[in-house]
Amino acid sequence: MNKKNSFLWGSATAAYQCEGGWQEGGKGLSNWDTFCHSEKNNINPVTGDIAADNYHKYEEDIKLLAKGGQNAYRFSLSWSRIIPQGVGAPSKEGLAHYKRVIEVCQKYHITPLVTLYHYDLPQSLYEAGGWESREIVFAFEAYARVCFEAFGELVDCWATVNEPNYETYCCYLVGNYPPNVTNLERRFKAMYHLILASAAAIKAFRSMQCKGSIGIVSDSYSIETLSDHPSYLDAARLANLFFNRSVNDVCVFGSYQQDFIEKLQSLGYDLTYMKEEDKKILESGIVDYLGINAYNRTLVKPYEGDTDIMSINNTGNSKQKTSLNLIHWFAY
């Protein structure tokens, strides 16, 4: 990056949301390929088979970024395009494709900011348990090493995972992302493995003496209440724990905060997936930077119910209501 032009102003994409080319270049199936071809789950009859056709039009797209005065492009790599089955030998075609994308960024003086994982998981790993499986942590580390080896000399800024909170929120609470369930306990297990995988990748990045910086991108929310009553302030504390600190504290400090652990224990959750040996990985995987995606505020109030409820409205009604035994949340 040219230090004279070090302020980055650009655009961002995610592989499944923009690439298309879902069966080209040796790419394997992802969980989103399967999800969007399922009549049962895909309530909106659309797929990412073509999307913005960025797989074929990446140079045209990057040229437009430069023409518009932008100097940065954040994009994600498709794990299933690089390692079609999630584990095993990488695809030469997949690696060559992303190398061309990065080189075109350089051609137009666009700084590439590369994300390793943005929601799309190789279908074979998804079928083996996805982020609820401990084995995926080590598969992700191996995938990260392939990417660092292939592109490390061309990329100065990496992100491991995009939005561990929001992805698992949609997968396991709202239930509109695969595996389409509503289960808070499974949600925190999956998120734990996402964060552990991020730390393992960062540890690998440093052991390989890669240049540049590496971090994670977190969706974080301003927590607000309409009252300063202690019960409202406690709801805000829990909401902050739920939406922000459950990711950010771990990535910045290298360990889970005790109040988060105690909250999960008070709900009766099985935390045996949190292994003692993981502490060293988390400590070694502290981020160089914390990326923040800020979408909206979170307005909370106390909730006295005893039922976990999470739903989403896809009809356009802006006042969807969600309820948890952690908080009562309204999003406007």
Side-chain angles (χ1 to χ4, degrees):
M1 181 173 62
N2 186 343
K3 291 184 178 180
K4 292 182 179 179
N5 194 23
S6 59
F7 182 81
L8 299 181
W9 179 259
S11 296
T13 60
Y16 185 76
Q17 297 170 23
C18 78
E19 282 186 356
W22 73 291
Q23 290 182 308
E24 297 184 55
K27 180 184 173 297
L29 280 177
S30 77
N31 60 329
W32 275 94
D33 292 319
T34 303
F35 171 75
C36 287
H37 288 96
S38 166
E39 237 178 79
K40 175 184 176 183
N41 294 326
N42 188 9
I43 63 172
N44 297 316
V46 295
T47 72
D49 294 359
I50 300 173
D53 201 21
N54 179 263
Y55 181 73
H56 300 105
K57 298 180 178 179
Y58 60 89
E59 181 159 7
E60 178 183 339
D61 293 341
I62 293 167
K63 185 178 179 180
L64 284 171
L65 291 180
K67 187 176 179 180
Q70 300 181 52
N71 65 355
Y73 176 36
R74 180 184 168 226
F75 62 94
S76 72
L77 308 176
S78 168
W79 188 343
S80 57
R81 195 178 293 285
I82 290 177
I83 304 179
Q85 300 304 313
V87 295
S91 163
K92 292 181 180 179
E93 289 180 272
L95 292 173
H97 169 73
Y98 287 117
K99 185 177 181 182
R100 289 193 295 270
V101 172
I102 295 168
E103 288 174 341
V104 167
C105 285
Q106 295 175 330
K107 175 181 175 181
Y108 292 100
H109 306 290
I110 299 290
T111 298
L113 297 93
V114 178
T115 301
L116 293 170
Y117 175 77
H118 192 138
Y119 300 174
D120 54 324
L121 187 65
Q123 178 66 15
S124 55
L125 293 180
Y126 172 77
E127 291 175 356
W131 290 108
E132 294 177 71
S133 168
R134 184 174 178 83
E135 285 68 32
I136 199 172
V137 173
F138 309 105
F140 183 78
E141 179 187 355
Y143 159 62
R145 286 180 178 273
V146 168
C147 297
F148 298 150
E149 179 69 28
F151 314 124
E153 291 303 312
L154 301 173
V155 176
D156 287 327
C157 187
W158 295 85
T160 54
V161 172
N162 184 77
E163 300 176 344
N165 173 72
Y166 188 73
E167 181 183 11
T168 56
Y169 165 91
C170 290
C171 292
Y172 294 97
L173 286 180
V174 177
N176 64 326
Y177 285 10
N180 312 102
V181 297
T182 54
N183 187 304
L184 195 60
E185 185 169 13
R186 289 175 63 182
R187 185 257 182 175
F188 282 117
K189 183 179 183 180
M191 194 165 76
Y192 176 82
H193 288 141
L194 268 166
I195 294 171
L196 186 63
S198 170
I202 291 172
K203 183 180 178 183
F205 181 85
R206 296 195 177 119
S207 71
M208 295 171 68
Q209 298 183 319
C210 299
K211 68 172 187 174
S213 60
I214 187 166
I216 197 169
V217 176
S218 171
D219 56 304
S220 294
Y221 303 89
S222 169
I223 309 298
E224 300 177 30
T225 67
L226 297 179
S227 168
D228 289 333
H229 187 276
S231 62
Y232 278 75
L233 296 180
D234 192 53
R237 178 186 66 83
L238 290 172
N240 191 40
L241 194 65
F242 181 84
F243 287 109
N244 299 326
R245 295 181 58 211
S246 59
V247 173
N248 300 349
D249 279 15
V250 191
C251 298
V252 171
F253 299 116
S255 64
Y256 277 88
Q257 302 302 301
Q258 190 58 33
D259 53 351
F260 178 69
I261 300 297
E262 290 174 356
K263 183 60 187 178
L264 297 187
Q265 290 173 332
S266 74
L267 295 170
Y269 293 164
D270 177 9
L271 302 183
T272 55
Y273 55 84
M274 294 184 173
K275 307 294 185 183
E276 185 66 26
E277 59 264 31
D278 296 346
K279 292 180 179 180
K280 289 186 178 180
I281 299 174
L282 293 171
E283 290 169 359
S284 301
I286 292 175
V287 295
D288 293 325
Y289 72 89
L290 179 67
I292 298 296
N293 285 348
Y295 298 113
N296 54 261
R297 67 174 181 164
T298 297
L299 184 64
V300 301
K301 67 178 183 179
Y303 175 57
E304 302 300 334
D306 58 2
T307 304
D308 295 348
I309 303 169
M310 183 64 66
S311 62
I312 190 166
N313 187 323
N314 285 322
T315 65
N317 184 344
S318 64
K319 289 190 176 181
Q320 63 175 358
K321 181 188 293 186
T322 58
S323 302
L324 299 170
N325 58 8
L326 288 174
I327 57 171
H328 197 83
W329 176 55
F330 293 87
Y332 297 95

